[in-house]
Amino acid sequence: MTVASVLVAALAVLGPSLLSRVEGSKLPAQAQVIDQRAFNVLNKTQPPAEFNADNIFVPPGHSEDSLTKRPFHVYDDEFLKIIGDNPTLTRIAHSPKDPLFHEAVVWSRETDEVFFVQNAGAKNASTGLHKSAIIEKISLKDAAAVSNKSDVAGLVNVTTVPSSPMVINPNGATNYRGQIILTGEGQGNDTPPALWVMNPQKPYNTTVILNNYFGRQFNSLNDVAIHPKNKDIYFTDTIYGYVQDFRPAPGLQDQIYRLNPDTGAVTVVADRFDHPNGLTFSPNGEYAYVTDTGINYGFYGMNSTRSASIYRFDVKNDGTLDNRKVFAFVSPGAPDGVHCDSQGNVYAGCGDGVQVWNPSGKLIGKVYLGATSANFNFAGKGRMVIGAETDLYYVTLAAEGSYVETTQRVPVQAMPTSTKTDSSSALSAPPSPATTMSSTHSDADPAVDNSLDDIFGSSPPETREVPSAMRREATATAEPSDLPSLRRQHVTAGYREGVSTSKGEHVQRGFDAGFPVGAQLGMRAGTILGILEGITRGLEDRSVSGVVKKPVARGALGSSAARSEDARSTETAESRRRLREEVLKIYMEATKSLDVQSVFAGSNVGAGAGSSGHNPPAEQAGEPAEAQLGRKGDSVVSTWEDKVAVAHWEKNMEALEMKESQADKGDKGAAAERI
């Protein structure tokens, strides 16, 4: 019996196919049915090293060409209602290399235009640290005029929007009260990530409405959405500016925030993500959908074992998020921008185009591009624009986007610096202390992390005011001193997780027996992660973190000597960059291997070649549970301690901490003299 006949027989057993179910309906010319049962069992599957999240799957009986020719892929007949009788997909713009059509796709109903932004941090764009990404737009009237063709790149005018002041590295956007809110990822140390409001009409004047969380810079603001009922502004913050080398190392965990524009209150509504990215709400406001692109580490590659999921939250009456659940897991790539239509179906930009799920999380169809779409958006009823990095598409279909109706302008005061306004764009309400901010970041030091204080209780940490010039000099000259504080942070986190897990392991026998075991293992794991992260930060290119190096004195060295010095400097920077990439890979392996569940299961995942390979002794009859826990965890942690040479780094850090302590005493003495 041939493979084909076996498959036919299997399908006969499984029941009527999707194709037979839609035979009664007229299948649109640009649509095709994808029957998942045809590839439930494959004749051959490839190992993960050969086929994984960055590969597009071509079902049996199809080719890349056939999938592209009819791009509306019907996985369930529900999708037919979404695309209608005659859907179309038209490429309206193309860029050879520069990813001009990346994110922040948003429709301005007032102008009937769609805005979008260039990729910040993309190597082919040279954006990020030294040059900001730009905002662009198209006229939907121009796009509609050519929607009967498949490829008209060059015929639709793409206009650069001269925002004033310029929005720095924009990434996400949504329309709000006649204007557009954009998330800016920031640039270097001194231009913090921020929420901007932009007038969608000339002169495209902009206002910063938020640029800090109680004085602390955000990491890299990513996406933004408005809740359809309470009209509050929700936004995501993640690490992509850091892993694309135009923002310093994160100072906050990746999480989702909520801004009340009337009071200026900023609160955290969700955390515990790998990399929270896209964000949207269901039309009735009952659900929030968040994409997690933890699989993607920017310039440092992909980790296919991390999240590529859409999570759904219940939105409570008070606007808080609750009851997180996995809504969908995506392949290929990861879900990025996410939006709902007016019926509550969920759409996300993924590694092969735009994928669509019904409200229960069932994949019902795709708008297939054969390439990644980071974001897209509806433009009212029957229209959609898709950004695909170097290509821009216009789609006609039956569905209508979920549009949040707002009638008033944003009731917060424009920042007093670097902002131009006119009577048409002035923001109405009086300033609020929480939202009227300086355009430069605060010079105040963040609170000092006293290891384990939050567990046992302590007085509030001491803070010191340090002049900004001193801070810049310290950043440029004292990079190894990050190691002790990073170790303390990771040890504290490891302690908490170790205690929590040991408590779970010993719930039947009481907490006391497992407490010291879990705490010690957690602290040892935290030490390892702290060392690796500290080394990674120490190897950062100073130009990447926005710190200016002192120029070489050419008169002293002479021109040839100066060129030689420049060459050595370039070589050293490249060597540091390569070394940092290697250390970052090790850090990612350690993060996975030293996860509390892996440690206490004795799973030595990711230790890699060159480790000593500590193996736990065989389990003994009648062995106490806490002994089993310690034996399993010790084998994992000891392997990583050997690999990272913890004992060597501990000596270095003890010396650094002693030096820091002496410096602190000197600072206090000097302060006393001034008083």
Side-chain angles (χ1 to χ4, degrees), residues 11-196:
L11 290 174
V13 171
L14 291 170
S17 69
L18 172 62
L19 182 60
S20 66
R21 294 203 304 272
V22 300
E23 279 179 349
S25 305
K26 182 181 178 182
L27 193 65
Q30 290 201 41
Q32 59 180 306
V33 171
I34 306 294
D35 195 334
Q36 295 187 70
R37 296 179 310 166
F39 51 88
N40 284 158
V41 179
L42 295 173
N43 188 40
K44 181 182 179 181
T45 59
Q46 297 168 286
E50 297 177 18
F51 189 90
N52 216 312
D54 52 353
N55 301 106
I56 293 178
F57 176 63
V58 178
H62 297 269
S63 65
E64 292 181 11
D65 185 58
S66 69
L67 291 175
T68 305
K69 279 185 176 178
R70 290 188 290 165
F72 295 91
H73 295 180
V74 182
Y75 281 74
D76 189 278
D77 50 11
E78 291 181 49
F79 193 54
L80 295 174
K81 298 177 182 178
I82 288 173
I83 61 177
D85 295 334
N86 187 31
T88 63
L89 174 70
T90 305
R91 187 172 75 155
I92 57 175
H94 173 71
S95 169
K97 290 184 178 180
D98 191 347
L100 292 169
F101 319 113
H102 175 57
E103 277 261 27
V105 185
V106 59
W107 174 49
S108 169
R109 184 165 62 178
E110 288 74 16
T111 66
D112 203 31
E113 296 171 317
V114 167
F115 292 75
F116 44 89
V117 302
Q118 183 184 25
N119 193 331
K123 293 180 179 179
N124 283 330
S126 300
T127 51
L129 184 60
H130 301 295
K131 182 176 74 173
S132 174
I134 61 173
I135 304 171
E136 303 151 286
K137 68 174 184 175
I138 59 163
S139 163
L140 287 170
K141 180 180 178 181
D142 292 348
V146 293
S147 62
N148 60 331
K149 303 181 185 298
S150 61
D151 192 347
V152 293
L155 296 183
V156 174
N157 189 38
V158 177
T159 305
T160 299
V161 176
S163 58
S164 177
M166 185 177 189
V167 178
I168 303 301
N169 289 324
N171 191 80
T174 189
N175 35 38
Y176 189 51
R177 299 180 178 180
Q179 302 187 64
I180 295 174
I181 293 181
L182 295 117
T183 57
E185 294 191 82
Q187 189 176 60
N189 281 343
D190 296 327
T191 303
L195 287 179
W196 300 69

Side-chain angles (χ1 to χ4, degrees), residues 339-513:
H339 302 282
C340 286
D341 65 22
S342 59
Q343 302 303 308
N345 298 299
V346 180
Y347 302 62
C350 303
D352 56 357
V354 176
Q355 299 189 15
V356 187
W357 298 264
N358 72 3
S360 72
K362 178 173 66 175
L363 178 68
I364 59 176
K366 297 181 180 183
V367 181
Y368 182 85
L369 305 178
T372 296
S373 169
N375 215 331
F376 63 98
N377 213 334
F378 285 94
K381 181 175 176 59
R383 303 180 300 183
M384 176 186 287
V385 173
I386 302 175
E389 302 303 316
T390 57
D391 291 305
L392 188 69
Y393 293 89
Y394 178 73
V395 180
T396 64
L397 69 176
E400 179 178 6
S402 176
Y403 187 89
V404 177
E405 293 286 349
T406 52
T407 57
Q408 302 173 0
R409 294 192 180 277
V410 186
V412 292
Q413 177 71 18
M415 292 175 58
T417 59
S418 67
T419 302
K420 300 176 183 178
T421 59
D422 60 17
S423 59
S424 66
S425 63
L427 303 179
S428 56
S432 163
T435 55
T436 304
M437 307 161 192
S438 168
S439 62
T440 58
H441 71 278
S442 169
D443 282 334
D445 276 341
V448 177
D449 175 28
N450 293 315
S451 181
L452 312 184
D453 273 359
D454 62 316
I455 298 173
F456 299 110
S458 71
S459 59
E462 176 187 4
T463 59
R464 292 182 289 120
E465 289 293 329
V466 181
S468 58
M470 291 177 60
R471 291 188 55 157
R472 286 193 291 273
E473 182 179 346
T475 306
T477 59
E479 59 191 47
S481 67
D482 281 344
L483 281 168
S485 61
L486 287 168
R487 180 191 62 172
R488 288 193 294 268
Q489 293 170 23
H490 279 282
V491 166
T492 303
Y495 182 92
R496 293 193 204 104
E497 294 188 352
V499 169
S500 175
T501 303
S502 66
K503 182 177 180 180
E505 292 280 344
H506 296 276
V507 68
Q508 298 299 323
R509 302 186 55 215
F511 180 47
D512 291 343

Side-chain angles (χ1 to χ4, degrees), residues 268-289:
V268 175
V269 292
D271 60 7
R272 298 183 181 275
F273 298 95
D274 280 339
H275 306 321
N277 199 311
L279 170 67
T280 197
F281 294 98
S282 60
N284 59 12
E286 291 184 4
Y287 301 117
Y289 296 94

